[in-house]
Amino acid sequence: MLQDTATSLLAVCGLAKAYDGRVIIEGLDLEVEAGSAVALMGPNGCGKSTVLRCLSGHEQGTHTSFETAGRPARVHSSAYRRDVFPIFDDFSFFPDITVVEHLELLAGMYDVPDHEATAAAALKRFGISGVAQQFPTALSSGQIRRVAFAAAAIRPWKLLLLDEPEQRLDLDGRSRLVRFLQEQMAAGRGLVFATHDAGLAQLLAASVVTLAHQG
Amino acid sequence: MATARKLKAPSLYAVCAAVVGVGSFGSMSWSWFLSLATTLARPGAGHELSSSFYLAWALVTTGCGSLVLRTAGPVGLPRPALTWCLGLPQVSALLHRRSLRSRVMAAAVTGGTAGLAAMIVAWPVSGWLAGLPPMVGPLMGAALVSVTAAEQGQTPTGGQRARLVTTRAVSLIAVAAGLLTWYLASYDVITVGAGLALGLVGALALVVLAAGLGSWPAVREVIETGGIPLGELYRAGEVVDRVSASAVMMTTGFLEPTPARRRPIRFGGTARLTRGRAGWLALLDARRVLARWPELVVAMCLAPLVGSVTRVAGRDWGCVVLTMLSYALASRLARWFFAWNASPSLRFLVPFRDSSTTVALLAAPVLGVLMFSTAAVELAGLSPWWVASSLVCALVGIRRRVVEANKDADFALVISTPMGPLPYNLGLRLISGWDAAVLGGLLSFVLPEATVLPTIMFASLLYAGWTARAHKRPARRLEVNPTPQRAEQLQN
């Protein structure tokens, strides 16, 4: 059993996942404490993204226990969705609204004071103020990533799930991201991310979990 | 190079509305006009008909046609899609549209047809003035298509924007005047709108013609290059970028039309009351819908279609068309609802309970359908019960579409039919939603007026219960037996 659940943001025991009988993940134990980061590393196809998607509820896996803050978690509940924020490749937006409108919508839904200033600050933080009035469909993949991180700067969360966050970012974007994540962890939030970049894991002082192909 | 102009995107809804609406409206109206002409040919027939009624109908048709051509016409594509469709014919064979020359000819023929129809209608009240529409119609159709294509092929100027706004404004005034005339005509108190109607149509024609003459150099260039200026072809790079990004990153960017530029949505003082609640989501959704007002106008312009069908084919078919159009409008307005249901990442962005979010995101579609169906039922003279019935049918259709979209269906499944192979799941996905609307409308054939709504409500509740039960049913668990080595590790 995982210990010290008082500071544990997420604890999963015996996580397993198979596609059509092909085992991808088997008996994975994972614990994320407040203010810490866990990096999932390993070769392509070893199940890093699948682990993240099981944690977010995008995929259904089996497990012996799944807890948030020491209590059993229901991945499809609105309470779980408030605490956990996944940013994967399929990050999407509401249609027909611009980037800044999207962020203002987000700020308003979470009752963030002064939503306009908050959205503008988030855009500035990730260097995308210039695309504020554009529609997300007109952005490059790197800009979309930055907008997603800007959303993470607005939306309150306790645990952030990132799938290869360094991908599609230039050096500037990457340094902004690292700075942002370090600040969030210093504020007691947790982070689970899949990456091929050992340097990023080192920068974030992450505990590394190395996955391997099953079978 | 100046930034490309963001033109109105031809969404699937708008294209379908244009094709179905214009096609059905046109074919039925022709039969109507033929019967009208036959009636008018009889001595003394003019006293049997309210000519202003038909004049109003012609006015609405003209206004709607202008708006449809402008909003969702074949040349309403945004620039990247236009480049894709016209500049890369080998790759885009499926998307390829007819050449501009063909489209101009088709528009001219359409305009001539409408003009002829208008002449038949207007003859009893306007005399020689009724001879104008057949002459102006072809020119107006050709000019509309040419001008729109030309505007896509060049950097916009203030004058073009002004002409676009003017054309739309005159179209809207024509539609409004037509509807007003129609409404008054139904009470047989009208002769007021006749002169105004012809004046407005004439003004619209003049504006469009002036715009066409002013843009003639650009029009000529577009025609000579087969649809797009050669100097603009490099913009295909924009398309290639988006396609590459879509293919590599598995995004749907290219498949989604680029939305038109519009005024930014701003939150006023009332918005603060809803902050932190689902009402905030509903409010922004409503403002998003209002920001795309031309779609609402096009939808409202289709309301007279229900009346036309009711008068031509009878009340039952009018009900079917009403429920189908209500569903079409609701599904268009419910884009956020569909997106929220389809995207797990959007679900993580919205902090509210699913039930609250559902109510918030369906508020705008419900209001839109209520407005549309109230107008359509009033124009068609149907029972007011059909306002509620069409709304319920639209909501059930939305639910059907969401449920079918969330199913993990095998689209490769093909069943053999006497007419050939049929992709079963794909067909099911395509008709989901529409089936509920059609079935709801068909009830008018078999049930008395007063029992339709309770029946639809009862069936809807049954369906909602059934789908809710199916969703609550626990999913199949995929148990994984550890490998011997892993089992040994776990034991240790």
Side-chain angles (χ1 to χ4, degrees):
Chain A
M1 191 67 190
L2 295 164
Q3 301 299 313
D4 194 15
T5 53
T7 59
S8 171
L9 293 176
L10 180 77
V12 186
C13 276
L15 183 66
K17 176 70 182 174
Y19 289 112
D20 295 329
R22 190 168 68 88
V23 177
I24 305 296
I25 311 159
E26 179 190 354
L28 177 72
D29 299 339
L30 193 68
E31 181 172 13
V32 188
E33 294 183 352
S36 72
V38 173
L40 304 174
M41 299 188 75
N44 292 128
C46 68
K48 301 186 295 295
S49 300
T50 305
V51 170
L52 290 173
R53 295 179 75 81
C54 287
L55 295 182
S56 68
H58 285 52
E59 299 279 354
Q60 188 175 12
T62 57
H63 45 75
T64 52
S65 77
F66 198 128
E67 297 174 348
T68 50
R71 286 170 298 188
R74 288 176 55 234
V75 289
H76 294 294
S77 67
S78 56
Y80 185 80
R81 291 203 300 259
R82 267 183 175 270
D83 290 344
V84 177
F85 188 29
I87 298 180
F88 300 156
D89 283 343
D90 59 357
F91 190 86
S92 53
F93 302 86
F94 280 113
D96 298 341
I97 55 172
T98 61
V99 168
V100 69
E101 287 165 355
H102 205 275
L103 295 181
E104 287 178 13
L105 166 72
L106 201 56
M109 285 195 296
Y110 285 90
D111 202 11
V112 177
D114 198 359
H115 55 272
E116 289 184 6
T118 306
L123 288 168
K124 188 178 177 186
R125 171 167 208 159
F126 285 95
I128 45 175
S129 300
V131 300
Q133 299 300 335
Q134 290 190 25
F135 292 93
T137 48
L139 301 182
S140 73
S141 58
Q143 287 172 323
I144 288 175
R145 276 264 155 165
R146 289 184 186 224
V147 174
F149 295 135
I154 291 175
R155 176 204 192 281
W157 48 266
K158 290 180 181 170
L159 181 68
L160 189 63
L161 306 176
L162 299 174
D163 193 0
E164 300 188 19
E166 75 279 7
Q167 294 297 319
R168 294 164 213 155
L169 291 180
D170 55 19
L171 283 176
D172 173 64
R174 188 185 146 119
S175 63
R176 287 173 190 266
L177 172 66
V178 169
R179 217 163 33 240
F180 169 71
L181 294 178
Q182 285 171 338
E183 285 175 20
Q184 300 302 313
M185 286 163 56
R189 293 168 174 178
L191 174 65
V192 182
F193 64 103
T195 184
H196 292 288
D197 186 348
L200 181 65
Q202 198 173 3
L203 278 172
L204 297 173
S207 311
V208 176
V209 174
T210 305
L211 302 178
H213 288 292
Q214 298 293 320
Chain B
M1 194 72 187
T3 307
R5 181 179 184 178
K6 304 291 182 189
L7 286 168
K8 187 79 192 137
S11 61
L12 186 60
Y13 165 81
V15 172
C16 287
V19 171
V20 175
V22 172
S24 58
F25 208 24
S27 58
M28 279 187 290
S29 59
W30 255 120
S31 62
W32 191 16
F33 275 124
L34 287 177
S35 65
L36 174 64
T38 311
T39 308
L40 287 173
R42 288 189 287 109
H47 297 289
E48 298 174 14
L49 296 166
S50 168
S51 53
S52 55
F53 177 87
Y54 294 107
L55 183 63
W57 184 88
L59 197 60
V60 171
T61 309
T62 309
C64 287
S66 306
L67 280 172
V68 166
L69 274 174
R70 275 294 197 187
T71 307
V75 291
L77 286 169
R79 186 193 297 276
L82 190 73
T83 308
W84 177 258
C85 290
L86 298 179
L88 305 169
Q90 290 182 336
V91 182
S92 58
L94 288 175
L95 297 173
H96 191 61
R97 294 163 189 239
R98 292 181 178 181
S99 71
L100 182 66
R101 208 182 300 267
S102 309
R103 280 183 273 134
V104 169
M105 289 298 295
V109 171
T110 307
T113 306
L116 200 61
M119 183 191 72
I120 296 174
V121 169
W123 193 266
V125 286
S126 25
W128 64 271
L129 277 175
L132 286 178
M135 291 183 280
V136 174
L139 293 172
M140 192 165 68
L144 268 173
V145 172
S146 305
V147 170
T148 312
E151 284 173 353
Q152 287 179 336
Q154 64 184 358
T155 307
T157 62
Q160 286 165 350
R161 285 201 192 94
R163 279 195 293 274
L164 183 66
V165 170
T166 308
T167 312
R168 280 186 174 160
V170 174
S171 303
L172 287 174
I173 293 170
V175 173
L179 289 174
L180 182 64
T181 310
W182 192 332
Y183 178 75
L184 294 174
S186 64
Y187 291 96
D188 288 329
V189 290
I190 180 67
T191 50
V192 181
L196 176 66
L198 278 180
L200 283 171
V201 174
L204 173 65
L206 286 176
V207 167
V208 172
L209 282 175
L213 289 174
S215 306
W216 174 244
V219 173
R220 192 175 56 188
E221 185 185 5
V222 169
I223 292 174
E224 283 175 354
T225 55
I228 187 165
L230 292 173
E232 299 290 330
L233 279 181
Y234 86 96
R235 290 184 185 279
E238 191 180 345
V239 182
V240 173
D241 286 346
R242 288 187 70 189
V243 172
S244 304
S246 298
V248 175
M249 306 305 173
M250 300 299 286
T251 69
T252 58
F254 179 70
L255 299 176
E256 295 167 8
T258 307
R261 279 213 180 280
R262 53 165 170 70
R263 282 179 303 167
I265 297 174
R266 289 285 170 234
F267 296 89
T270 53
R272 294 194 186 94
L273 299 174
T274 61
R275 200 156 62 191
R277 303 192 184 100
W280 179 270
L281 191 59
L283 190 66
L284 191 64
D285 190 24
R287 294 197 176 183
R288 190 259 320 175
V289 168
L290 290 176
R292 298 175 69 89
W293 61 267
E295 290 177 357
L296 281 178
V297 172
V298 169
M300 292 304 290
C301 287
L302 289 175
L305 179 62
V306 179
S308 301
V309 174
T310 304
R311 287 169 195 276
V312 172
R315 163 195 160 271
D316 300 330
W317 285 110
C319 294
V320 174
V321 173
L322 172 68
T323 52
M324 289 180 69
L325 288 179
S326 296
Y327 168 70
L329 176 62
S331 61
R332 178 61 191 166
L333 298 184
R335 287 188 73 196
W336 276 22
F337 182 69
F338 290 131
W340 175 73
N341 272 287
S343 166
S345 68
L346 277 183
R347 281 185 170 261
F348 273 93
L349 285 180
V350 178
F352 313 118
R353 289 175 183 277
D354 288 354
S355 54
S356 305
T357 309
T358 300
V359 170
L361 294 181
L362 286 179
V366 166
L367 286 176
V369 169
L370 279 178
M371 285 170 55
F372 167 79
S373 58
T374 304
V377 163
E378 175 70 16
L379 287 170
L382 296 173
S383 161
W385 287 108
W386 276 102
V387 176
S389 301
S390 62
L391 176 63
V392 176
C393 288
L395 291 177
V396 174
I398 287 176
R399 175 71 179 159
R400 283 269 307 139
R401 188 168 147 185
V402 167
V403 168
E404 287 300 321
N406 287 337
K407 279 185 182 173
D408 190 16
D410 177 12
F411 290 126
L413 177 65
V414 174
I415 59 172
S416 178
T417 70
M419 294 166 289
L422 181 73
Y424 178 73
N425 283 324
L426 185 61
L428 202 63
R429 175 74 61 89
L430 288 175
I431 65 166
S432 63
W434 291 101
D435 49 5
V438 172
L439 282 174
L442 287 177
L443 284 178
S444 65
F445 282 93
V446 293
L447 291 176
E449 206 79 73
T451 58
V452 170
L453 181 60
T455 306
I456 291 177
M457 296 278 287
F458 182 67
S460 307
L461 288 174
L462 279 181
Y463 178 71
W466 177 68
T467 53
R469 186 169 173 273
H471 272 236
K472 280 187 178 173
R473 195 179 300 152
R476 188 167 58 95
R477 293 174 70 87
L478 298 172
E479 299 294 347
V480 178
N481 295 320
T483 58
Q485 294 86 351
R486 178 62 180 160
E488 191 177 345
Q489 284 178 358
L490 290 173
Q491 283 177 355
N492 293 334

